[in-house]
Amino acid sequence: MSSSPAPREERTEREDVAALVPFFGVVLLLPPFLNLFAGMLGPFGVPVEVLYLFGVWFLVIAGAVLLSRGRQFRETPAKSLPETAPAVPPEPPGHA
């Protein structure tokens, strides 16, 4: 028996984790978290609140990209069929 989960189970686990990405994004963008940085200025006079907002936005997008690149989300490719000649019925002998 192999110790790795079946492909369907891996896909389900990956989908469960993928469902958490937008949840954490929404939680991190709630006003209590955004107001932690209110009034603070960062580099070049940009408010830290804005940097936090775009940082969380970037992390949510990066998390979605990383999870979508997993092989579990891709459909398994069909096995390549050997190339054969077109199915044309042979001509009967004597007909040329």
Side-chain angles (χ1 to χ4, degrees), residues 42-85:
F44 304 110
V46 177
V48 175
E49 189 175 25
V50 172
L51 296 175
Y52 175 80
L53 177 72
F54 281 99
V56 169
W57 181 50
F58 175 77
L59 290 175
V60 168
I61 292 171
V65 168
L66 290 175
L67 286 171
S68 69
R69 296 186 82 188
R71 64 181 174 86
Q72 287 82 5
F73 275 148
R74 295 184 184 155
E75 294 298 323
T76 55
K79 292 182 181 177
S80 59
L81 299 174
E83 292 193 26
T84 59

Side-chain angles (χ1 to χ4, degrees), residues 6-72:
R8 181 64 189 146
E9 291 176 13
E10 288 178 16
R11 184 174 181 180
T12 303
E13 291 172 9
R14 181 68 58 112
E15 289 172 350
D16 291 343
V17 172
L20 293 176
V21 170
F23 172 75
F24 282 114
V26 167
V27 169
L28 290 172
L29 294 175
L30 288 174
F33 288 104
L34 288 174
N35 290 335
L36 290 175
F37 308 106
M40 298 172 70
L41 290 180
F44 304 110
V46 177
V48 175
E49 189 175 25
V50 172
L51 296 175
Y52 175 80
L53 177 72
F54 281 99
V56 169
W57 181 50
F58 175 77
L59 290 175
V60 168
I61 292 171
V65 168
L66 290 175
L67 286 171
S68 69
R69 296 186 82 188
R71 64 181 174 86
Q72 287 82 5

